[in-house]
Each structure stands twice: as C-alpha cells, then as structure tokens.
Amino acid sequence: MHLIRRTTGWLVAATLAASTLVVLSPAPVSASGPNTSSVLSAVNSARANAGRRPLSLRSDLSGVAYRWSQKMAASGTLKHNPNLTRQVSGWRWVGENVGYGPDWRAVHVALMNSPSHRANILDRDYSQIGIGVVVGSGGRVWITQVFRAPTGSTADAKQRSKPATSRSTLAAKPRAPVAKARKPAPTPTQQLKRRITTAKAQLADPASKDPLVDALGFAARMRTVGG
C-alpha cells in the first residue's frame, strides 16, 4: 500500500491487489474499452450506495489516466504520476488512484477495502473521472483513475484554508474550525473560597498584632475583593 495525499490541490492514492495473477491477453485495453465501462459502473455503484452523485467519464482525464497506466505497465512499477496537476487542466481538486491485479475487479475490491482509497472514490467534491486500463506483461491489469472537481463547481465555491499545491506529506481534508469550549462560570461556593483566599493574602501583615483590627480589616476587604 502506498501513501495517500490530500491537500487543497490533490488527493493521491495507490493500491496493490493482493491476489494471484492469472494469464490474460497481453493486448492493451483502450481508455474507452469495455473494462473502462465496467470500472466506471463499479465506481458509480459504490458512490450510489454511499449516497453520492455519479461521476461523469471525461475523455481528457481518461487520456491522462490511460497514458499513465501504459507507463506503469511498461516499467512494471506501481507509482504515482508526478505531473498529474500539470497534465490535468481546469481543476479545483484533482486526484489519482493507481493499482494493478489479475483483473479490474480485483483492483476495485482492493481500493474499496482500503479506507483511504475508498474515501477517494466516494469523495463528495469530485464530479468527473478518467479511467485508463492496460493489460501488461503476464496478463497483469494496470488501472489508473483520475478524479476532478472542475473550477466553477460547488467544490470551487467552498472556502478552503490552504493554498492550491501538492505535498508529499499526509494531509487530512480541511475541516471547519472547532470553537473553543468556554470554561463554566464559578459556583457561589467557588467564588466565596476565592474571595477568602484573596482577602487572607492581602491581610497577611506581620505588623498587625490586634485580632480585632485584623477581623475588621478582613470584613472590610470581603466587601471589595472581586471573584
């Protein structure tokens, strides 16, 4: 499992399907092939079950996703696209899921079984997706999913506390600030104790020898000492 990144700029997640590979046809599957439709259907089904709106498949995002799946398949290495934010245009939020396995179903299950990657698929801000499916050496299926909340969307109108940027550190999605809890008002008994303590401290005069004078001074101060 790889890291997940989410800032005002983007969210990136990767997964490795832990299952035995089977021999499939090594021919690449295009960004608009049948497996792409199946992945889209599975993603939107998961979103519907979670009460989320469906994602629309966009050709520009699928182009980026497909080219990255080709690179991963060619190198045999699961990794993130370092140029994602430059290759995708018109985004307020942009993200990426990458993974491989014996088939697209195994990759989808692996993504959904990981809380962080599932959160990427079910994110409320995203409205668009691009999908790239490539079958590489040994029948291994490489999948890239690119998500986008376009500029001018509801997500764009939301107030965000961080500037748009990409970071390699783990970052949680911005949350609304939590108001600080106020301390409860002191009870009458607590106020009385404070007043007595303060009065005693102010009357601690070693020069005073007359108990009556001290008592009268104490009574006078009790009328003026604040809580």
Side-chain angles (χ1 to χ4, degrees):
M1 193 66 63
H2 290 243
L3 62 86
I4 176 172
R5 295 186 286 186
R6 178 67 190 256
T7 68
T8 305
W10 58 336
L11 169 65
V12 180
T15 186
L16 174 64
S19 53
T20 305
L21 296 178
V22 296
V23 178
L24 302 176
S25 170
V29 180
S30 71
S32 59
N35 282 355
T36 298
S37 300
S38 298
V39 173
L40 176 64
S41 177
V43 166
N44 281 335
S45 177
R47 288 178 65 87
N49 291 337
R52 306 290 192 268
R53 61 183 176 178
L55 301 178
S56 61
L57 187 66
R58 303 299 295 236
S59 60
D60 61 326
L61 299 181
S62 290
V64 172
Y66 180 60
R67 287 190 293 273
W68 188 247
S69 289
Q70 284 184 312
K71 288 186 177 181
M72 290 193 298
S75 64
T77 304
L78 182 69
K79 56 185 177 180
H80 300 297
N81 182 354
N83 300 314
L84 181 67
T85 57
R86 292 193 294 271
Q87 293 176 358
V88 176
S89 62
W91 55 268
R92 168 57 178 166
W93 290 81
V94 64
E96 179 186 65
N97 276 358
V98 298
Y100 70 79
D103 52 52
W104 70 266
R105 292 180 182 84
V107 177
H108 176 73
V109 169
L111 287 168
M112 292 300 296
N113 284 340
S114 168
S116 56
H117 308 114
R118 175 187 176 92
N120 197 10
I121 292 174
L122 302 182
D123 193 289
R124 293 179 183 275
D125 290 338
Y126 292 134
S127 60
Q128 300 173 351
I129 189 174
I131 301 170
V133 182
V134 171
V135 179
S137 177
R140 179 175 292 179
V141 178
W142 299 83
I143 296 179
T144 301
Q145 299 171 339
V146 176
F147 304 89
R148 178 172 62 192
T151 53
S153 64
T154 301
D156 190 29
K158 294 180 180 178
Q159 293 296 322
R160 303 295 183 183
S161 60
K162 297 181 181 179
T165 183
S166 61
R167 300 184 181 183
S168 59
T169 55
L170 180 65
K173 187 175 180 180
R175 298 179 182 274
V178 179
K180 293 183 178 179
R182 294 184 178 180
K183 293 183 178 180
T187 64
T189 301
Q190 290 173 328
Q191 290 180 334
L192 179 59
K193 288 182 178 180
R194 291 178 186 177
R195 292 184 58 162
I196 292 174
T197 300
T198 304
K200 285 182 177 179
Q202 293 178 352
L203 286 171
D205 184 2
S208 176
K209 301 296 183 181
D210 188 346
L212 181 58
V213 173
D214 289 346
L216 292 175
F218 177 81
R221 290 185 180 279
M222 283 295 291
R223 293 193 296 270
T224 59
V225 174

